[in-house]
Amino acid sequence: MSGDSPLYCVKMRASRDGAHISGAEKIVPASAVPGTAEALAARALAHPKGSPDDVRIKVERAGEILHLPSLPVRTYKTATAAEGMAKAAELLASDGVTRLPEIFARFRETYAMRGAMLLDADTLERLEPDRARGVRATYMDDAESAAKRSASGKNHYAEAIVLATKVQAAPGVIAEICVSDDPDYLTGYVASSTLGYCRITTIKEKGDPAGGRIFLYRGPREHVPETIRFLEKQCVLVEGVPVLAPPPEAPETRWRGLREDLDAVRDAGLWRTIRTCESAAGPHTRIEGRDLLVLSSNDYLDLARDPRVVEAAARAVREYGTGSGGSRLTTGSQPPHEALERHLAAFKGTEDALVFGTGYMANVGVITAICGRGDAILSDELNHASIIDGCRLSRADVLVYRHNDMDDLSRKLSACREHRRRLVVSDAVFSMDGDLLDLPRFLETTRRHDAFSMIDEAHATGVLGATGRGLCEHFSCGHPDILMGTLSKALGAEGGFICGSRLLVDYLRNRSRPFIFSTSFPPSVAAAADAALFVLEAEPWRAEAVRRNARALVGELARHGIRTRTESAIVPIPVGDETRAVRASAALLERGVWIPAIRYPTVARGTARLRAAVMASHTDEEIRFAAGAIAEAL
Ligand code: WAQ
Ligand code: MG
């Protein structure tokens, strides 16, 4: 195929400030030289390592050509670098190469080399005359290039097989180990004439820029110059280089894992479905045509359908439209957003406030803004998932302390003195148990350790305290540094908020990613929440009514022999087994009462429960009826 017309070696080398960026070579017929030179130049100029200031293309007439059959290829799948190196060691040991850990350690020296290390396989002496450069295998190509076309893009795989095939033909070379120095290319190989080309899918850690090649030599010293001459000068064309098959298109495999996970969810009694309520939120709804008494809503004060709240939202829709149009920092801030923030700050007694799209975003947004690497977050073991996710996303060290245990908290804080910042975060009302944070001791403990204090008042705002202002009012004590709450529960709207000092809120406006990078909720939502706050201020008896109803439900349940307790609107009814809890919830639906089963991962495995929540507008009669239905369903 190459005998009739002469072949040319076309080499490309690109560098910047004298530092090597990339290189490649092709052996092609004269007619393909211009196209090849152009393709190699394009490759040099578009190299991911950076743009070169010097690109050299060299064209030479090829000398005498040696044709070699390609090494056969085998692939070994490895998951980690350690596993990959162990595989390489095992393969080479079967080929008579020992001292592998020591050989691997030499890759530290090859990183800066453009060529390969030529190592005596037994004494581990380096044999290259120029140790900084190493030995370069050149004048080689896939015979396909010589037969027809010019160069295409970089193909690690085909180029490596060509090189490995030539190297194994060099006199005295018994094996090669190769690790790419592309930090994202984790596949390497070992090669020998008996093993062939053995790809090892993961041979180094992701992000590690150190790579290199080691050629292992066994033979007399006086033959080393001939080995190097062969590697650096002999023209080689490799025939039958295998084409790497594209990964099989296998939808069944792709989806199988998801299907199996879901089957396990179903088997464990953890399958979740959405039920659609065919009416406004409130103490009654219709589901699939049936009227139900709702004991599961967070709309504790029954404000989501209050005519004053609805009217405020409707007016805002007419005035400002349905969407806010952008992030608050671009175009998405309207007068209702600002009015609401002023109102929230006044209601909670803080300098300033900031609203977020959801309560989840408020928790994630404040925790990740305040804490990062090198900080410590101390989090109650029963905190809500949005707090847990904020902790995880922050990359801070997270210490989970025992539920409401201020002694445990204090001990853990003592262990974090070296951290830059300490943030202690707790639910005010624990959402699945209905109990309260011991706020006075929490504040005393966090102050003593100079830690930021944060409470999540999702289930406290509108429920606790004589006028529904939350946990601080309940205990008649001072404020934590960060007061988080939601607009979507007692305030009948949507969103989350942070109340605190002006410094804190300025910081969040500038640093909180969920705030900065989300479209704000529509002005009608802000208007609704604002109106709900006015209703609560005018009718504080609503907060008292919620607490009275919760106590009434606990009392009625006790009459049926069911023991539970609450300090909020949430009444947990313990069941234990996940499947039993789901069955009890279904039996309640049959009786016209809607109370959801709460299971893992919302609560610990084996502590499934019915989670009842009362509203201000439930009647005594409804509470009695619900308690009777619960007793029957369990
Ligand atoms: N001769 C000798 N050593 C070389 C040569 C050469 N022609 N080219 C590169 N090296 C050395 C040099 O030290 C490099 O830093 C090192 O090898 C790695 O080169 O999927 O991409 O170009 O089967 O980073 C192997 C797996 C990919 C392919 C190898 O090497 C697969 C790779 P890189
Ligand atoms: Mg190198």
Side-chain angles (χ1 to χ4, degrees), residues 110-115 181 211-212:
T110 63
Y111 174 37
M113 293 166 60
R114 288 208 49 235
D181 37 49

Side-chain angles (χ1 to χ4, degrees), residues 404-483:
N404 229 342
D405 185 338
M406 295 301 123
D407 296 325
D408 190 36
L409 170 60
S410 187
R411 270 191 300 277
K412 294 201 156 106
L413 274 169
S414 301
C416 297
R417 287 205 196 92
E418 300 303 313
H419 285 76
R420 182 185 65 153
R421 292 177 189 158
R422 289 158 296 283
L423 168 68
V424 187
V425 54
S426 175
D427 273 339
V429 171
F430 290 88
S431 57
M432 297 302 142
D433 295 77
D435 59 332
L436 308 185
L437 165 68
D438 180 353
L439 183 62
R441 284 202 63 203
F442 179 83
L443 292 177
E444 185 273 313
T445 308
T446 50
R447 277 189 198 129
R448 188 153 38 82
H449 290 271
D450 191 23
F452 285 106
S453 52
M454 167 173 171
I455 67 173
D456 172 341
E457 296 216 277
H459 299 278
T461 301
V463 174
L464 297 182
T467 61
R469 281 173 163 73
L471 196 63
C472 304
E473 188 182 26
H474 173 90
F475 281 111
S476 309
C477 67
H479 283 97
D481 300 320
I482 303 163
L483 242 162

Side-chain angles (χ1 to χ4, degrees), residues 77 155 157 199 242-250:
K77 286 214 167 71
N155 178 346
Y157 173 74
R199 305 184 79 203
V243 176
L244 186 59
E249 174 67 28

Side-chain angles (χ1 to χ4, degrees), residues 335-384:
H337 296 108
E338 272 134 51
L340 172 61
E341 286 173 343
R342 280 195 301 275
H343 200 170
L344 283 166
F347 181 75
K348 291 284 188 182
T350 58
E351 285 177 1
D352 207 348
L354 189 67
V355 294
F356 288 75
T358 67
Y360 182 103
M361 289 162 66
N363 270 335
V364 170
V366 71
I367 294 170
T368 56
I370 304 283
C371 289
R373 276 208 181 87
D375 297 328
I377 305 175
L378 295 97
S379 175
D380 187 289
E381 64 181 335
L382 294 190
N383 277 344
H384 188 257

Side-chain angles (χ1 to χ4, degrees), residues 134-146:
V135 176
R136 297 232 0 124
T138 54
Y139 297 106
M140 62 201 173
D141 197 3
D142 181 343
E144 291 277 292
S145 311

